[in-house]
Amino acid sequence: MLIAANWKMFKTRAETRAFCEAFTPPEGVEVVICPPFTSLDVAVEAGLTIFAQNVHWAEEGAYTGEISAAMLKELGVAGSLVGHSERRQLFGETDEGTARRAEHALAAGLRVIACVGETDSEREAGATESVLRRQLAPLPRDPRLVVAYEPAWAIGTGKTATPAIAQEAHAYIKSLIDAPVLYGGSVKPDNAAELLAQPDVDGALVGGASLDPDSFAAICRAALIS
Ligand code: PGA
């Protein structure tokens, strides 16, 4: 089980320090935190396993606003998210760009959590499987690649996929790629156990509920009993 916290654009360095002092990951579950770029070194120093929220495909170059895998490794960062639905929807990132980011990060020795998932209208149009197929096709096949299934309609909305919906999508993803699959989208302490109990749910990617050390610790503990 892998439980990852995606802090998005939340927490200053001082707030990151305060979280790390208050949070002790339970034994027996792998915990990853993805803070904003400016807090990565603070979180690494606290002794936690730290991933970035994005990584560029080039080693260096004229890519204003981007960060390379080598820059992350220098800070002691262990991996990165790629292809989060907010990157796709708000910043125009594509399936191919996401795959290039994943490929480069893996080649540089980072681990990768690649996010996939359909929007509300794609689900209503019955396109969930074709969207997942299209997003997964260009991703590199690598033992250090983890997939996160995050239906965009469940992110930050309080609408969680039912355990049955999550299980169905995870089983489909696993028929296309041999990788652990995390569920993400409104995971909370009170719904984590039933989601994590599904046979093809290998962990969780947690946004809002990961910002509070007690609620994130409760989700991590739910992984132990699932
Ligand atoms: P949420 O976000 O848990 O706040 O829905 C999940 C994510 O975007 O990774």
Side-chain angles (χ1 to χ4, degrees):
M1 283 277 173
L2 169 62
I3 307 294
N6 174 16
W7 284 358
K8 312 191 178 189
M9 198 172 73
F10 290 98
K11 292 201 192 292
T12 62
R13 292 168 66 80
E15 288 165 346
T16 300
R17 239 174 246 120
F19 178 98
C20 293
E21 275 164 24
F23 174 73
T24 313
E27 298 277 324
V29 48
E30 193 183 10
V31 176
V32 161
I33 312 256
C34 311
F37 286 126
T38 48
S39 286
L40 288 172
D41 60 336
V42 172
V44 166
E45 278 159 26
L48 298 166
T49 303
I50 302 304
F51 280 26
Q53 295 174 15
N54 207 354
V55 57
H56 197 256
W57 57 75
E59 265 161 53
E60 57 183 7
Y63 298 105
T64 301
E66 293 286 338
I67 301 282
S68 74
M71 293 167 183
L72 296 175
K73 288 187 70 185
E74 187 186 28
L75 296 182
V77 170
S80 184
L81 303 180
V82 296
H84 189 275
S85 64
E86 286 150 16
R87 299 303 315 168
R88 296 174 188 266
Q89 287 176 5
L90 304 174
F91 302 99
E93 291 193 13
T94 61
D95 299 333
E96 288 66 33
T98 296
R100 286 176 76 191
R101 287 173 191 272
E103 234 162 76
H104 178 71
L106 291 164
L110 292 176
R111 295 162 65 195
V112 168
I113 299 174
C115 306
V116 298
E118 78 287 1
T119 63
D120 213 357
S121 55
E122 288 165 340
R123 173 159 285 269
E124 273 166 24
T128 299
E129 292 194 349
S130 64
V131 168
L132 294 175
R133 243 187 348 264
R134 192 198 72 218
Q135 293 173 334
L136 290 165
L139 287 176
R141 273 41 185 174
D142 188 291
R144 283 162 310 142
L145 181 83
V146 171
V147 173
Y149 171 62
E150 297 208 309
W153 48 269
I155 293 181
T157 57
K159 270 202 234 172
T160 320
T162 61
I165 288 178
Q167 168 56 28
E168 191 185 7
H170 282 228
Y172 183 68
I173 290 167
K174 287 188 177 194
S175 75
L176 300 174
I177 188 166
D178 181 19
V181 183
L182 314 182
Y183 171 77
S186 297
V187 176
K188 308 286 178 213
D190 61 359
N191 64 19
E194 55 174 0
L195 286 161
L196 293 169
Q198 299 304 306
D200 291 313
V201 175
D202 303 310
L205 180 55
V206 187
S210 73
L211 294 171
D212 174 74
D214 295 336
S215 106
F216 187 54
I219 293 171
C220 295
R221 284 196 301 273
L224 290 174
I225 51 166
S226 303

